[in-house]
Amino acid sequence: MDRLDNTVRPYAWGSTTAIPRLLGTEPTGEPQAEMWMGAHPGAPSRTARGTLVEVIDADPEKELGAPAVARFGPRLPFLLKLLAAGAPLSLQVHPDLDQAREGYADEERRGVPVTAPHRNYKDANHKPELVCALTEFDGLCGFRDPVRAAGLLDGLGVDSLKPYVDLLHARPEDAALREVLTAVLTADPEEMARTVAETAAACDRLGGDYAPYAGIAHHYPGDPGVIAAMLLNHVRLQPGEALFLGAGVPHAYLDGLAVEIMANSDNVLRCGLTPKHVDVPELLRIVRFESRDAGILRPEAAPDGEEVYETPTDEFRLSRYVLPEGGATHDLTLDTAQILLCTAGGVRAGGHDLTPGTSVFVPAGEKAEVTGAGTLFRATVVV
């Protein structure tokens, strides 16, 4: 069992206090957005045996387990994170596996450098993800019913939004959502900036259901993503609640601290709330234009006190243990690799004492007994 030394990414949208508060360290004054736990080549976790990439590469079957290597190849198929949003992340979608393979092959064929700012596909993998709140956590997830979205826009009293309101009422659902998102993202930038300014002022004045969009507009003045965001469901997760984001579902995280797990991919198509490249034609190919509710997940009880967040993907499986004072020892041994992350209290895993924000990598088949009083998240795969 290897204690992990993990990299914290200083993205501009990150909270300056949430991760230091969890770790019990002093804030640096700089944003601390994500702590990465895993074997992503961009920031692999470090162990006493080398980086986790080096450890796995030396003997994939021993570290990951033969069933996992047969199913997913000689790599850890998931990336676990602590995510601390102090400002909204970009509005985005992820491709499915076929779309990712096609898009990656196309950009490789056209010679688009992987580091190019207009490159969409950094790899040939999909990126389903699950985010589980540790604090109250605000986000946007999936399209609202078009009629409800029309009512929200109409209630602002902004004349330049009227064409979008009419489209949302007049078309079948998929066509309505497609036409409005296309119109918002391809509008004249100066005209859209004025519309966003008027929208932001109205959201500030009205508050209530409009308050989240006022906050978004404050961070991204003039960005068409502010209007696109109003087509989506706003959701506030309570600690322990989660969202699963499948392919083609537009989403953004707004504020709060969470555990996030995803397939090991960097593929993102952006819809707005970002200075980065927005490839509108490719985005429209990927987005699923269908309304849905936000789909809040709560953990389901499993044997031995485990609580599982059920999702339709096999690249990762996230669960948690809430261990009481004086409770029994739990044997977490598996025939697949796992990462254990403490988020509250104190837990002893093998020979390691885990405090909030600390984690270990457990190779396949390695004895994994845990005791203590605290909350422990477990990340592994389904084979």
Side-chain angles (χ1 to χ4, degrees):
M1 192 179 297
D2 299 278
R3 192 179 189 91
L4 297 180
D5 179 16
N6 304 306
T7 297
V8 175
R9 310 306 293 262
Y11 305 137
W13 49 262
S15 168
T16 59
T17 59
I19 288 179
R21 186 182 301 120
L22 183 74
L23 296 175
T25 59
E26 286 296 317
T28 64
E30 298 298 317
Q32 297 187 38
E34 295 181 348
M35 176 184 287
W36 288 21
M37 290 159 278
H40 192 287
S45 298
R46 298 169 294 278
T47 78
R49 297 189 284 158
T51 71
L52 200 50
V53 170
E54 294 167 342
V55 168
I56 292 169
D57 283 350
D59 195 339
E61 288 202 358
K62 178 178 181 295
E63 301 296 335
L64 302 177
V69 172
R71 179 79 187 276
F72 303 110
R75 60 184 183 86
L76 191 67
F78 63 82
L79 176 63
L80 183 67
K81 298 180 180 180
L82 282 172
L83 184 147
L89 283 68
S90 61
L91 192 61
Q92 59 189 260
V93 297
H94 306 304
D96 65 26
L97 191 55
D98 287 341
Q99 291 165 338
R101 288 170 174 168
E102 292 168 7
Y104 181 78
D106 175 63
E107 290 185 321
E108 288 289 282
R109 189 166 49 248
R110 291 190 286 117
V112 181
V114 173
T115 56
H118 62 286
R119 173 101 183 203
N120 294 316
Y121 297 95
K122 305 298 176 64
D123 53 69
N125 200 16
H126 62 165
K127 193 187 176 188
E129 61 190 46
L130 176 76
V131 62
C132 177
L134 296 179
T135 64
E136 279 198 342
F137 190 87
D138 277 10
L140 305 172
C141 178
F143 285 112
R144 299 174 185 267
D145 176 89
V147 173
R148 289 181 53 234
L152 193 70
L153 293 176
D154 197 33
L156 291 166
V158 175
D159 287 344
S160 53
L161 294 176
K162 296 295 186 185
Y164 306 142
V165 172
D166 292 342
L167 281 172
L168 289 168
H169 278 298
R171 305 282 184 175
E173 175 178 288
D174 58 344
L177 294 169
R178 177 181 291 274
E179 288 193 34
V180 172
L181 184 62
T182 303
V184 167
L185 296 181
T186 57
D188 176 81
E190 290 187 6
E191 291 181 7
M192 178 52 66
R194 287 193 292 270
T195 296
V196 172
E198 289 183 55
T199 297
C203 288
D204 268 328
R205 183 179 69 254
L206 294 168
D209 289 344
Y210 293 100
Y213 306 100
I216 292 169
H218 170 75
H219 288 286
Y220 296 99
D223 193 305
V226 174
I227 309 301
M230 299 186 75
L231 302 176
L232 308 185
N233 298 298
H234 172 252
V235 60
R236 174 165 292 170
L237 300 179
Q238 298 303 311
E241 295 180 334
L243 293 173
F244 175 73
L245 291 314
V249 176
H251 62 278
Y253 304 141
L254 305 180
D255 182 71
L257 179 67
V259 172
E260 185 183 32
I261 190 168
M262 63 192 63
N264 209 347
S265 172
D266 277 339
N267 289 326
V268 175
L269 281 298
R270 295 177 178 85
C271 317
L273 309 183
T274 178
K276 295 181 179 179
H277 178 61
V278 177
D279 185 335
V280 175
E282 186 64 10
L283 172 71
L284 297 176
R285 189 177 79 89
I286 298 304
V287 171
R288 294 183 179 175
F289 290 98
E290 54 191 29
S291 65
R292 46 165 283 175
D293 63 28
I296 294 175
L297 292 177
R298 295 174 180 86
E300 298 182 13
D304 195 32
E306 187 179 24
E307 300 175 326
V308 181
Y309 293 90
E310 297 287 356
T311 74
T313 189
D314 291 342
E315 280 94 338
F316 60 77
R317 177 184 183 272
L318 185 71
S319 62
R320 71 173 183 175
Y321 290 81
V322 181
L323 305 174
E325 187 74 45
T329 297
H330 295 262
D331 186 353
L332 274 57
T333 306
L334 292 174
D335 61 0
T336 56
Q338 51 188 318
I339 292 176
L340 305 178
L341 165 67
C342 177
T343 60
V347 177
R348 186 163 182 81
H352 301 275
D353 289 317
L354 302 183
T355 55
T358 59
S359 55
V360 291
F361 172 75
V362 186
E366 185 81 14
K367 191 71 171 175
E369 291 186 340
V370 300
T371 59
T375 301
L376 188 74
F377 280 84
R378 175 201 235 180
T380 186
V381 299
V382 179
V383 293

